[in-house]
Amino acid sequence: MAGDAISAIGSINQGKADSMAGEYNAQSAEQNAAYSIQQARENERRQRIVSKKFLGDIRASYGASGITADASALDILEESAANAELDALTIRHEGEAKATGYRNEARYARVAGENAKTASYLKAAGYVASGVEKGMGYKADSDYRSKMLEKKKG
């Protein structure tokens, strides 16, 4: 019976430790998600700076070579601006997708930790029930032995 009690306590402690580990992993994943968003915002900002400079260079080269603002030149400039914007938005989207993955990891880690804690309580209850059953069996055996001894004496 004492061994079952010790096993029950050990099971509960293991469940608490697993739950704490799950929470730690969840917090770490949430920090990674926040960092991914920050990193994507910075990369997007830098991409916009590079694109703005690139579009400025195109305008300057048009002016230096005497190209007028005719339809084809404007079309090229417009397409370059659209591609630059698409690059910036792609960077943002990739960062958000990465952050979503980390947030999903955080949710999974929390659920896994809570499930481990719940499982440990159920396992501990099993140990306690087993100990009680053993104790009752011992008592029943002891009562039976006492009755048999009394019959032999009497």
Side-chain angles (χ1 to χ4, degrees):
M1 284 189 350
D4 290 322
I6 291 170
S7 294
I9 292 168
S11 178
I12 290 171
N13 287 338
Q14 182 64 49
K16 287 178 181 178
D18 289 345
S19 179
M20 289 172 57
E23 182 59 30
Y24 173 83
N25 291 338
Q27 288 176 3
S28 177
E30 286 173 346
Q31 288 172 352
N32 288 339
Y35 178 73
S36 293
I37 293 292
Q38 289 173 349
Q39 188 177 29
R41 285 181 183 157
E42 178 59 21
N43 290 343
E44 178 185 358
R45 184 187 72 78
R46 288 180 182 179
Q47 178 62 36
R48 290 184 188 281
I49 290 169
V50 168
S51 296
K52 188 175 182 180
K53 182 181 178 321
F54 176 71
L55 294 172
D57 290 346
I58 290 174
R59 285 187 196 100
S61 66
Y62 281 175
S65 54
I67 297 175
T68 60
D70 66 357
S72 63
L74 289 176
D75 287 345
I76 292 170
L77 192 57
E78 231 176 75
E79 185 177 345
S80 296
N83 287 335
E85 180 63 14
L86 183 59
D87 290 345
L89 293 175
T90 298
I91 290 169
R92 180 190 306 173
H93 173 73
E94 287 172 353
E96 289 171 353
K98 195 173 184 180
T100 296
Y102 284 125
R103 286 187 201 105
N104 288 339
E105 283 181 30
R107 279 191 278 284
Y108 174 77
R110 280 198 176 90
V111 168
E114 286 303 310
N115 287 346
K117 186 165 55 170
T118 300
S120 75
Y121 291 143
L122 295 173
K123 190 174 182 180
Y127 284 127
V128 170
S130 175
V132 168
E133 181 181 8
K134 287 176 188 173
M136 290 177 71
Y138 178 77
K139 174 77 170 124
D141 286 345
S142 177
D143 288 345
Y144 177 75
R145 279 189 223 114
S146 295
K147 288 178 186 177
M148 293 305 286
L149 287 175
E150 286 177 25
K151 284 184 180 181
K152 285 184 180 182
K153 289 181 185 178

